[in-house]
């Protein structure tokens, strides 16, 4: 009797990160996962937006700050989701700000991570987003709670 192999569904990913070393690190690490595959990697949002409709991924992993005089990751997520409503997106940044996680989710992000989070957590967070969850790093959760607990100016 022949055994059937279970077919693995590969989650397609587009990375947008202006730091080449980090972009390549993420691409290499994620491509080592059996169920994840980077189909495109860009250094800026403008190029990504031109290509996304032609090669739509399941998930967009983007940095917030993509360089001076460039569209940022929040604007990229908003624009990409207008073109591709089923697209999932994670914003990843080094910037610490109480309001930033809430702004990311308001822009349409499905997850929020810090670049200093362990690289080994990244595949799990991507899978969680594709399962309908909204993962955040522990520090991002703290910032999100702080932003929600601050009294609104009257």
């Amino acid at each position: 009797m022949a055994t059937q192999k279970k077919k693995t569904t590969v989650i397609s990913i587009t990375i947008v990160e202006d730091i080449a070393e980090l972009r390549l690190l993420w691409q290499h690490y994620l491509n080592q996962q059996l169920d994840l595959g980077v189909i495109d990697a860009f250094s800026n949002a403008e190029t990504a937006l031109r290509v996304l409709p032609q090669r739509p991924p399941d998930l967009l992993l983007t940095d917030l700050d993509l360089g001076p005089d460039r569209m940022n990751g929040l604007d990229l997520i908003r624009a990409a989701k207008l073109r591709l409503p089923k697209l999932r997106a994670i914003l990843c940044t080094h910037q610490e700000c109480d309001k930033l996680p809430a702004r990311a989710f308001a822009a349409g992000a499905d997850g929020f991570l810090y670049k200093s989070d362990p690289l080994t957590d990244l595949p799990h967070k991507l899978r969680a987003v594709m399962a309908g969850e909204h993962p955040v790093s522990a520090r991002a959760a703290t910032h999100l709670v702080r932003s929600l607990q601050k009294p609104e100016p009257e």
Side-chain angles (χ1 to χ4, degrees):
M1 183 170 154
T3 58
Q4 269 189 321
K5 289 185 179 180
K6 186 177 177 184
K7 186 176 180 181
T8 302
T9 302
V10 176
I11 298 168
S12 60
I13 302 161
T14 292
I15 296 171
V16 184
E17 167 58 59
D18 61 319
I19 300 170
E21 295 83 5
L22 187 53
R23 186 173 62 247
L24 292 170
L25 174 67
W26 286 349
Q27 185 173 6
H28 178 75
Y29 187 73
L30 294 174
N31 280 336
Q32 290 179 358
Q33 311 298 310
L34 294 177
D35 60 337
L36 303 174
V38 176
I39 60 171
D40 284 307
F42 302 103
S43 63
N44 64 75
E46 293 83 0
T47 303
L49 265 181
R50 282 195 302 273
V51 176
L52 281 170
Q54 298 163 26
R55 287 194 302 267
D58 298 312
L59 193 144
L60 172 66
L61 174 62
T62 184
D63 181 18
L64 172 64
D65 183 8
L66 296 167
D69 302 320
R70 291 286 188 180
M71 178 185 287
N72 68 39
L74 293 175
D75 293 335
L76 171 60
I77 290 170
R78 278 188 203 96
K81 286 201 165 198
L82 283 174
R83 291 171 172 85
L84 303 165
K86 293 181 181 180
L87 179 69
R88 304 291 175 98
I90 292 182
L91 186 75
C92 192
T93 185
H94 63 82
Q95 294 183 25
E96 299 269 344
C97 171
D98 283 352
K99 294 182 180 181
L100 191 52
R103 287 179 52 218
F105 286 111
D110 298 289
F112 185 94
L113 307 173
Y114 286 107
K115 290 181 180 181
S116 59
D117 292 346
L119 182 61
T120 54
D121 289 353
L122 186 57
H124 170 72
K125 303 291 187 184
L126 300 180
R127 292 179 191 111
V129 163
M130 293 309 298
E133 298 173 20
H134 299 279
V136 295
S137 64
R139 283 193 344 272
T142 299
H143 288 299
L144 185 57
V145 169
R146 282 185 193 152
S147 74
L148 295 172
Q149 290 178 340
K150 287 184 181 175
E152 293 290 322
E154 293 183 28

